[in-house]
Amino acid sequence: MSRLVVVSNRVGLSRDVGGGAVGGLSAAITAALRQNQGVWFGWSGETTPQYTGQLSLDRIGDVTVAKVDLEPQDVEDYYNGYANNTLWPLFHNRLDLTNFSRAYAAGYARVNQRFAEALQALIAPGDTLWIHDYHLIPLAAELRKLGCTNRIGFFLHIPWPARQLFTTLPSHEKLVAQLFDYDLVGFHTAEWLSAFTGYLRNEKGLEVGDDGVVEAFGRTTRLGVFPIGIHTADFASENASEASIDAQKRTEKSLAGRQMIIGVDRLDYSKGIEERFLAYEQYLQDHSEAREKVFMLQIATLSRDAVEAYQDMRNRLDAIAGRINGHYGTLDWVPLRYVNSGYRQDELAGIYRAARAALITPLRDGMNLVAKEYVAAQDPADPGVLILSRFAGAAAQMKAALIVNPYDRDEMAEAIHRALTMDLTERMLRWRELKAGLDAENLDHWWQGFLEALADRPKPCPRMVRVGGTAP
Ligand code: ADQ
């Protein structure tokens, strides 16, 4: 059996994290690695004054974890710079926050080259490599330069931008060419894939075959759609752990009979938290009868604090939350609870269950797993209502949610009202449809589907998409 080597910017498996604390994606990759005698390689998160390429190796269960330290300049140019100050904002339609810098681009190339050199020592001839996300697009090209002929797949966890935006990136063609060094390139949705093939067609005159195969830059790759799912059982109320039940009870106690609306996100401008706060404020203004009977809990864990755009956003959110609570709050009612702490997955499941509605309203999101987790956590006999942005990749699958435009404050305020007044029959109908979708396309389905497609090059990919078309 061939080994699986997974590469991501950070390794999501460590000795000191228990089961209930592990995020869905990390758990999926770990499951894939365990079944394939795997190795997980990535940056350690640490810096060293001068780069050495020294690998630190550990064995956790059946998985070998391999990490390298980076120089401070690498972190600045590659991670904070090109990944989080160039590609992330650009791929999330925030050209206004996108910083094009040659130093960043050079850092991105340098670190991918360093990763390839460090990784080479770990790769055996029959190994399959699976590279994750926008930090590492050039990695296969760097490995190929070193003579690597292994099968290599790439999965993009974020959206692919429209051609008109993507072409603002200096050396955009180089980035696309680097994707042709992979044997398979996967996207979450047909929409992101179609943005990519739109670039190929309009900029390069290329057409993609019905089987997803496309030839360019002297190489051939295959494109496919693999929407990520979750392990529904981990969130299901029937299997609730003690920590989950405890979190649910604590949350319910704090409700004091009020209905709760929940938002859970990494604190990021793509998640639309500011627009969500403003919509909630609008709802309180439009529905005076709901005041003191409802509150919103927004959990937003800090991320990428070193990037300036994130500090600005935090300041704005603090100001809006303060304004809403100052204006509407009473002696015993805080309309908006806004917390920056992180929670374990099983605790989150309990909190989700206590919420009558979830407001998951990103401005742009590759998929959004929180929307799926909220649905999976609900009590089948009394489920809450999911309000979901049409700009989350998840909206393509979760059509039974209340789908909203996060830029339309009035529409969002109406959706909150509708969710909080929806009768049990409609809530159950919507929930059952959503849950059936989650069960059919779960996390195992995602990683197994990707690896099967990667192993089996000649066969058409499942859900392969024709250029300009939709999945058959
Ligand atoms: P993220 O942008 O991190 O992921 P998302 O998919 O919503 O977005 O969340 C990933 C995980 O983090 C979820 O399992 C969630 O429970 C957890 N999480 C989020 N906020 C949390 C909080 N405040 N406290 C504790 N846990 C929290 C990127 C892309 C997404 C894509 C995923 C997976 O941006 O679009 O869905 O990768 O491909």
Side-chain angles (χ1 to χ4, degrees):
M1 188 189 189
S2 76
R3 284 190 323 170
L4 176 64
V5 178
V6 167
V7 187
S8 54
N9 174 56
R10 296 295 302 277
V11 176
L13 181 65
S14 76
R15 285 193 174 280
D16 41 330
V17 181
V22 177
L25 178 61
S26 296
I29 291 177
T30 305
L33 287 167
R34 290 214 163 109
Q35 285 187 31
N36 295 280
Q37 310 165 43
V39 179
W40 195 341
F41 171 89
W43 172 36
S44 62
E46 305 292 328
T47 54
T48 176
Q50 198 151 35
Y51 181 75
T52 63
Q54 180 78 43
L55 281 173
S56 81
L57 293 170
D58 195 4
R59 184 106 182 137
I60 304 178
D62 301 332
V63 179
T64 302
V65 167
K67 298 179 188 173
V68 278
D69 297 344
L70 290 175
E71 282 176 19
Q73 197 60 45
D74 288 343
V75 178
E76 188 49 31
D77 294 338
Y78 150 80
Y79 181 69
N80 291 329
Y82 203 76
N84 290 333
N85 236 317
T86 307
L87 294 183
W88 177 273
L90 182 64
F91 281 41
H92 287 88
N93 288 0
R94 292 300 303 267
L95 194 52
D96 57 321
L97 298 177
T98 304
N99 193 330
F100 299 119
S101 140
R102 287 195 174 171
Y104 290 172
Y108 186 64
R110 180 174 69 243
V111 169
N112 272 277
Q113 189 185 350
R114 287 178 166 176
F115 278 169
E117 285 161 1
L119 188 58
Q120 199 193 16
L122 291 169
I123 303 172
D127 290 349
T128 295
L129 276 68
W130 190 5
I131 315 300
H132 288 263
D133 230 358
Y134 60 102
H135 313 83
L136 301 173
I137 291 173
L139 191 60
E142 293 299 336
L143 285 165
R144 301 290 187 217
K145 279 187 208 158
L146 299 173
C148 174
T149 55
N150 298 55
R151 249 165 222 231
I152 316 181
F154 177 81
F155 189 81
L156 184 69
H157 289 266
I158 65 175
W160 188 270
R163 177 175 61 95
Q164 291 81 351
L165 268 179
F166 183 63
T167 48
T168 62
L169 182 70
S171 61
H172 50 86
E173 188 172 318
K174 186 172 162 199
L175 203 69
V176 169
Q178 285 165 338
L179 283 169
F180 279 74
D181 279 296
Y182 291 95
D183 296 294
L184 176 67
V185 176
F187 301 85
H188 277 312
T189 68
E191 191 179 341
W192 312 147
L193 172 54
S194 139
F196 183 70
T197 56
Y199 175 93
L200 296 180
R201 189 174 48 241
N202 288 293
E203 296 289 318
K204 305 293 299 171
L206 292 169
E207 291 298 331
V208 182
D210 283 354
D211 54 0
V213 174
V214 56
E215 210 183 312
F217 309 103
R219 301 183 290 280
T220 303
T221 191
R222 238 173 116 197
L223 310 172
V225 173
F226 304 88
I228 196 169
I230 61 164
H231 273 307
T232 47
D234 291 351
F235 286 86
S237 51
E238 308 92 81
N239 301 327
S241 69
E242 209 174 302
S244 174
I245 292 167
D246 187 52
Q248 182 182 356
K249 282 191 181 147
R250 278 177 53 204
T251 313
E252 279 169 354
K253 200 170 157 203
S254 79
L255 298 181
R258 296 182 170 113
Q259 288 188 317
M260 179 168 89
I261 305 163
I262 184 97
V264 175
D265 308 82
R266 248 182 340 92
L267 192 51
D268 192 281
Y269 46 78
S270 67
K271 302 293 182 183
I273 304 172
E274 196 171 330
E275 288 74 7
R276 190 180 310 165
F277 281 6
L278 294 173
Y280 177 60
E281 185 177 40
Q282 181 78 46
Y283 166 75
L284 292 176
Q285 189 183 317
D286 295 349
H287 292 274
S288 53
E289 78 286 357
R291 293 178 204 157
E292 304 214 44
K293 296 195 183 93
V294 59
F295 78 89
M296 177 164 164
L297 172 62
Q298 174 65 51
I299 299 174
T301 314
L302 302 184
S303 74
R304 302 175 195 167
D305 235 19
V307 180
E308 201 181 315
Y310 288 75
Q311 291 154 8
D312 292 347
M313 176 189 51
R314 281 183 69 184
N315 294 339
R316 284 197 305 277
L317 288 175
D318 288 347
I320 301 171
R323 185 179 75 213
I324 293 174
N325 285 333
H327 186 76
Y328 290 104
T330 62
L331 268 185
D332 59 356
W333 177 53
V334 181
L336 174 59
R337 290 195 215 158
Y338 170 46
V339 296
N340 294 132
S341 36
Y343 291 86
R344 294 165 50 101
Q345 292 280 300
D346 46 7
E347 288 175 324
L348 274 184
I351 299 169
Y352 290 145
R353 229 172 354 263
R356 172 47 60 90
L359 255 185
I360 312 293
T361 53
L363 305 178
R364 194 166 163 85
D365 214 336
M367 174 56 73
N368 194 298
L369 293 176
V370 174
K372 297 188 170 186
E373 293 165 358
Y374 174 75
V375 168
Q378 296 307 300
D379 174 357
D382 187 20
V385 180
L386 173 65
I387 303 170
L388 179 63
S389 162
R390 58 175 296 156
F391 303 121
Q397 294 169 297
M398 306 185 83
K399 296 198 165 68
L402 295 184
I403 303 290
V404 292
N405 172 1
Y407 295 97
D408 185 341
R409 203 178 295 175
D410 293 313
E411 188 194 39
M412 291 232 282
E414 280 164 16
I416 295 173
H417 176 66
R418 199 172 156 204
L420 296 181
T421 54
M422 191 179 286
D423 65 38
L424 180 61
T425 312
E426 184 177 352
R427 280 192 279 128
M428 285 173 74
L429 276 174
R430 286 177 179 275
W431 180 81
R432 280 192 202 133
E433 189 177 329
L434 291 169
K435 177 68 167 34
L438 294 186
D439 289 337
E441 294 189 297
N442 65 19
L443 201 43
D444 290 334
H445 180 266
W446 172 71
W447 70 260
Q448 285 166 359
F450 186 90
L451 291 182
E452 271 164 27
L454 180 57
D456 194 13
R457 238 179 295 189
K459 252 170 77 185
C461 278
R463 305 167 130 267
M464 196 56 68
V465 172
R466 291 183 179 84
V467 170
T470 50

